[in-house]
Amino acid sequence: MMLHLVLFPLMFTYMVVGLMPDEYFRQKIEIITETRDSLSEPVDAAMPFLDQYEAIWNSAKTLSLIGMDAIGARNSDDVTKILKDLPERITTAYQASVENVRKCEESNTKEALKEATNNLAVYCISVINISRDVRVKPNDANSWRLMHDHAKTISEVANSIRQVLIQSGSGIQACIETIGTIARITENLETMQMLARDGTLESTGDPFPNHREDMSGAAKRLVGAARLLVNGAISSNQEQVKDAAMTAEKTISDLANAVKSGVISLSIDDVGTRSLLLNGGTDVAKALSNILEFTKNAFGKSPNDASWDKLYSSVKELVIIVRSFLETVESV
């Protein structure tokens, strides 16, 4: 009877808290240590720049989220599951991070990423150790404090990896951000088109010719920005792509504003012309978004890669769409 009184609480603790043998934690720590030591080992083939960028970004994001989960574990309803899964999640994410960093080609960026990833191992190991402690002593405030502090550092270091990527991939990042801006612009133009069809879009009565040159000029400048994007991708020049993307973002914003001003200068009853202009502006914006997408996809690829054909074709499509838009503007 006494033996049952001793064993039952112990078995209950193992079932509820999910304790694991020390060997399990040692294995995870050994894997992280061995993985960290492989950072400088050569790889058979490096990934194209965009693939590197996205892979490293995603693995760093995963580690950051794991750190955030660990920070909030004590107050979570799923504390048992979080603590049980934590060693495996950290180990898997760290392995992916190291593998992706090893495939990075750019030397300066790679050194910065290696340094951050090397530092990350220390805190990953620490959190795994502490996760064992807090599962054994779930009310130990000091262990929870250490868990919070070191998990926070995991998130911070993982975010610093993403900052290194943003700096090294400034052109790619600018393309991504401009694509996001264009999505908001097209959504706004499509909303205006719906209002124009419904007859609820206001009219200022302002003379339309006041806006014709603004629309035409912006559309023509976009073709120039698209060519700069292509040139930057061909030369694998991040700064050139960044500048071209920023120029494209400003120009498509100028075009959208000019289209909106021109449209509301027309009569509410002129639904057809309003729709033509809004459609035209939307088509130009979407064509530019395609160029930005294909620019970041082609960046760093070999000249024979199929992504270049898509980029060149998207520029030709923009030229055709801009020409049609200019004809529409001149006809109003």
Side-chain angles (χ1 to χ4, degrees):
M1 182 67 175
M2 288 297 294
L3 183 60
H4 284 172
L5 290 174
V6 171
L7 288 179
F8 180 76
L10 184 59
M11 291 170 62
F12 181 79
T13 301
Y14 268 75
M15 288 190 307
V16 175
V17 182
L19 295 178
M20 296 178 181
D22 286 351
E23 181 61 25
Y24 171 80
F25 295 94
R26 279 197 294 270
Q27 286 176 354
K28 298 305 177 188
I29 290 169
E30 284 175 7
I31 290 171
I32 289 178
T33 303
E34 291 171 2
T35 304
R36 178 193 60 194
D37 294 343
S38 72
L39 265 170
S40 297
E41 292 179 5
V43 291
D44 294 334
M47 290 188 290
F49 183 87
L50 181 62
D51 294 342
Q52 294 171 24
Y53 188 95
E54 291 180 340
I56 297 171
W57 180 277
N58 289 334
S59 56
K61 181 179 180 180
T62 298
L63 277 166
S64 179
L65 292 173
I66 291 171
M68 295 304 293
D69 283 347
I71 289 171
R74 189 177 191 181
N75 299 318
S76 171
D77 293 336
D78 297 325
V79 60
T80 302
K81 187 178 188 309
I82 291 172
L83 291 176
K84 182 179 179 181
D85 295 345
L86 200 56
E88 179 65 32
R89 290 178 67 200
I90 287 178
T91 303
T92 301
Y94 186 77
Q95 284 179 297
S97 185
V98 169
E99 183 66 17
N100 293 330
V101 168
R102 285 179 61 214
K103 293 178 181 177
C104 182
E105 285 184 306
E106 211 284 317
S107 58
N108 292 333
T109 300
K110 187 169 186 175
E111 287 307 309
L113 291 172
K114 280 170 61 178
E115 181 180 356
T117 307
N118 186 64
N119 293 337
L120 201 53
V122 176
Y123 297 98
C124 287
I125 289 171
S126 177
V127 168
I128 288 175
N129 273 323
I130 298 167
S131 73
R132 175 185 54 192
D133 296 340
V134 296
R135 287 162 70 184
V136 173
K137 300 176 182 178
N139 296 317
D140 183 7
N142 186 55
S143 293
W144 278 110
R145 182 183 58 77
L146 287 173
M147 166 79 87
H148 178 280
D149 291 347
H150 290 195
K152 182 180 178 183
T153 303
I154 287 178
S155 287
E156 289 172 348
V157 175
N159 287 333
S160 76
I161 289 174
R162 295 164 78 185
Q163 287 301 314
V164 170
L165 288 176
I166 289 173
Q167 292 170 11
S168 66
S170 58
I172 298 297
Q173 188 63 31
C175 287
I176 293 169
E177 291 172 0
T178 303
I179 289 170
T181 299
I182 293 173
R184 291 188 290 273
I185 287 172
T186 54
E187 184 179 358
N188 184 252
L189 291 174
E190 286 167 353
T191 300
M192 283 190 71
Q193 189 172 22
M194 181 180 66
L195 295 174
R197 285 197 302 266
D198 293 343
T200 55
L201 185 65
E202 65 177 15
S203 174
T204 61
D206 190 30
F208 179 82
N210 290 355
H211 310 289
R212 181 179 285 122
E213 182 54 39
D214 290 340
M215 284 185 271
S216 299
K220 292 173 184 176
R221 291 197 302 276
L222 275 179
V223 175
R227 288 174 177 149
L228 290 175
L229 281 165
V230 173
N231 291 337
I234 290 172
S235 60
S236 295
N237 188 317
Q238 289 280 356
E239 282 301 312
Q240 189 173 343
V241 171
K242 176 185 173 183
D243 291 344
M246 291 173 67
T247 298
E249 181 175 7
K250 181 182 184 305
T251 308
I252 193 63
S253 296
D254 291 344
L255 175 64
N257 289 332
V259 168
K260 287 187 283 187
S261 296
V263 165
I264 61 174
S265 74
L266 299 171
S267 168
I268 291 176
D269 297 327
D270 199 352
V271 176
T273 304
R274 284 178 149 197
S275 293
L276 276 175
L277 289 169
L278 288 166
N279 265 333
T282 301
D283 289 345
V284 171
K286 289 180 177 179
L288 177 62
S289 183
N290 287 338
I291 292 172
L292 288 156
E293 186 69 38
F294 293 135
T295 295
K296 70 183 183 67
N297 289 344
F299 193 97
K301 299 276 181 72
S302 69
N304 298 324
D305 193 272
S307 57
W308 289 106
D309 290 336
K310 292 179 180 178
L311 176 56
Y312 299 144
S313 295
S314 67
V315 175
K316 291 177 183 177
E317 183 181 0
L318 176 69
V319 171
I320 293 170
I321 290 172
V322 165
R323 186 181 298 128
S324 174
F325 176 73
L326 291 174
E327 289 171 359
T328 298
V329 172
E330 289 302 317
S331 69
V332 179

